[in-house]
């Protein structure tokens, strides 16, 4: 799914492993669309990896979405991972205290 302010690109999609690449604006105005796409991918795969790269802006709504998605994955007994490839996002996440609550891999 692409839009003028952000993109969600499916790198791999199968019932065992799905990888989504996120780019652009991860902000409140895109939260509903992001949530819908994430839950759909999680429902269709046992393992979901969100790769966050080339982010122009991120806000608290995306961090809240990360926590909610982690909880949904745990309830559904599915695996969710976040791979952060953006130094900007890494900094925001580290300063938020989120790594203590959500499994995150930093590649930035």
């Amino acid at each position: 799914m692409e839009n003028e302010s952000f993109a969600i690109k499916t790198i791999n999609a199968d019932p065992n492993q799905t990888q989504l690449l996120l780019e652009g604006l991860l902000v409140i105005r895109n939260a509903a669309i992001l949530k819908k796409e994430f839950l759909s991918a999680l429902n269709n795969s046992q393992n979901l990896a969100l790769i966050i790269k080339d982010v122009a802006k991120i806000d608290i709504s995306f961090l809240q979405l990360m926590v909610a998605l982690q909880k949904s994955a745990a309830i559904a007994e599915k695996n969710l991972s976040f791979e952060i490839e953006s130094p900007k996002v890494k900094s925001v996440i580290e300063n938020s205290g989120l790594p203590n609550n959500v499994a995150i891999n930093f590649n930035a």
Side-chain angles (χ1 to χ4, degrees):
M1 155 167 274
E2 290 199 41
N3 149 325
E4 65 189 45
S5 60
F6 74 100
I8 301 173
K9 299 175 184 173
T10 303
I11 296 173
N12 180 43
D14 68 50
N16 188 46
Q17 174 71 36
T18 296
Q19 294 175 304
L20 299 179
L21 176 65
L22 310 176
E23 300 175 320
L25 298 174
L26 304 179
V27 295
I28 188 81
R29 75 172 183 221
N30 299 325
I33 296 169
L34 290 166
K35 177 183 175 184
K36 179 182 172 188
E37 293 294 321
F38 295 165
L39 290 176
S40 175
L42 190 62
N43 287 334
N44 292 315
S45 184
Q46 184 61 35
N47 301 288
L48 175 60
L50 299 180
I51 303 164
I52 302 168
K53 182 178 182 177
D54 297 329
V55 172
K57 187 174 180 183
I58 184 171
D59 67 15
I60 192 72
S61 67
F62 185 77
L63 301 180
Q64 291 170 327
L65 189 55
M66 290 174 73
V67 172
L69 191 57
Q70 184 76 38
K71 289 179 181 180
S72 294
I75 290 168
E77 298 181 349
K78 299 202 175 187
N79 300 308
L80 173 66
S81 65
F82 297 95
E83 298 176 20
I84 311 300
E85 297 183 2
S86 166
K88 179 188 290 186
V89 174
K90 177 183 177 186
S91 176
V92 169
I93 290 172
E94 286 178 335
N95 291 329
S96 74
L98 193 61
N100 299 326
N101 302 306
V102 176
I104 299 173
N105 297 317
F106 292 113
N107 298 324

